[in-house]
Amino acid sequence: MLSKSSIRFALVLGSQLVLIALGMEVLCRLFIGHTPELEEDPRFGKITKAHTAIVQSFEGHSAAHTNALGNLDDEMPVQLPPDSVMVLGDSFTEARHVARANRFTDLLAERTSRRVWNVGHAGWSPVNALGYLEANRGKFAPKTVILQVSSND
């Protein structure tokens, strides 16, 4: 049987560890992760600013940079390779919360040996994604397009 002093020591130590863990969580969320700057596009709604560094610590952790179009991907060439794929969607496509190698767009590229362009933006509905595709049809003209739709759309 444990003595009262042992139990009290364990409770004090346990509560101190919980307070330290909570303090570290607050510091990490304040100083390591941040919400990227968004800009309002009259055609597509809110999009992440171009060439922005993003550190995501809510619902996972990742660090990335946006391209000139505000997408979490490499710069897109004016003429897409003929066998490339463009994936449009919301935050599930954008996937700020996971490392790039674990995004489904990068896994798809790996499994199909095709270049897959990630054009996901948090908060987008299918209407935003299709508007983006229509507005950029002449610019990119992908032969294969995947529209990712979530149950919350």
Side-chain angles (χ1 to χ4, degrees):
M1 182 156 182
L2 295 173
S3 67
K4 287 183 180 182
S5 62
S6 295
I7 293 172
R8 186 165 58 215
F9 174 76
L11 289 173
V12 168
L13 180 62
S15 61
Q16 288 175 345
L17 290 174
V18 166
L19 288 174
I20 289 170
L22 287 173
M24 294 299 292
E25 178 71 20
V26 168
L27 288 174
C28 287
R29 286 182 187 248
L30 288 176
F31 297 107
I32 294 177
H34 69 279
T35 302
E37 291 185 58
L38 301 175
E39 58 188 14
E40 187 70 32
D41 185 297
R43 298 165 297 172
F44 320 123
K46 293 185 185 209
I47 59 172
T48 308
K49 283 191 172 184
H51 303 293
T52 300
I54 296 176
V55 178
Q56 176 72 31
S57 66
F58 182 71
E59 295 182 350
H61 187 323
S62 69
H65 286 84
T66 59
N67 63 21
L69 299 171
N71 304 326
L72 281 180
D73 209 336
D74 300 328
E75 294 298 333
M76 293 176 73
V78 175
Q79 188 66 29
L80 294 180
D83 67 337
S84 63
V85 177
M86 182 182 284
V87 180
L88 298 137
D90 61 9
S91 59
F92 289 99
T93 300
E94 185 179 44
R96 289 183 199 161
H97 57 287
V98 296
R100 181 170 178 164
N102 296 329
R103 299 183 313 186
F104 85 84
T105 52
D106 291 86
L107 295 172
L108 179 63
E110 182 182 310
R111 292 188 178 139
T112 62
S113 299
R114 294 172 72 182
R115 179 58 169 102
V116 177
W117 299 99
N118 185 322
V119 187
H121 289 276
W124 267 15
S125 72
V127 172
N128 299 117
L130 292 173
Y132 181 92
L133 182 62
E134 181 65 29
N136 290 295
R137 179 179 300 201
K139 187 174 184 178
F140 298 118
K143 290 191 173 143
T144 305
V145 175
I146 297 173
L147 176 61
Q148 174 266 319
V149 179
S150 303
S151 61
N152 63 345
D153 288 335

